[in-house]
Amino acid sequence: MVSRSANVNVRVEPAVKKQAEDILDKLGVSASVFINMTYRQVIIELPAEIKTLDTMTNKEFNEMMQTGLTQAKRGESVPYEEAFDQLMKGL
């Protein structure tokens, strides 16, 4: 028999949990649905080999930070509402 769901147990700071759940409530999205969406985005978006601080050279890290800073200075960031809308469209 195949299970239709699995449990995920995580620890988060109470204030972070409350703030996140308040936002999700306003959007009409449960924490379970959001976690499911997030997991699906990981599957879709993340490459098989992920660069981490442990595997990155100092040069790679500095380049990544510079790219992010440059994008922020250009105003190329996206408000969380827009990012969430894009995430929802991907499901």
Side-chain angles (χ1 to χ4, degrees), residues 35-51:
I35 290 169
N36 235 313
M37 290 175 9
T38 305
Y39 274 28
R40 289 173 188 273
Q41 281 302 115
V42 168
I43 293 166
I44 293 167
E45 297 292 331
L46 293 182
E49 289 187 31
I50 299 171
K51 285 284 191 178

Side-chain angles (χ1 to χ4, degrees), residues 41 78-91:
Q41 281 302 115
V78 178
Y80 81 89
E81 297 95 342
E82 186 177 330
F84 188 81
D85 289 344
Q86 290 173 3
L87 180 67
M88 291 293 286
K89 288 177 187 173
L91 294 178

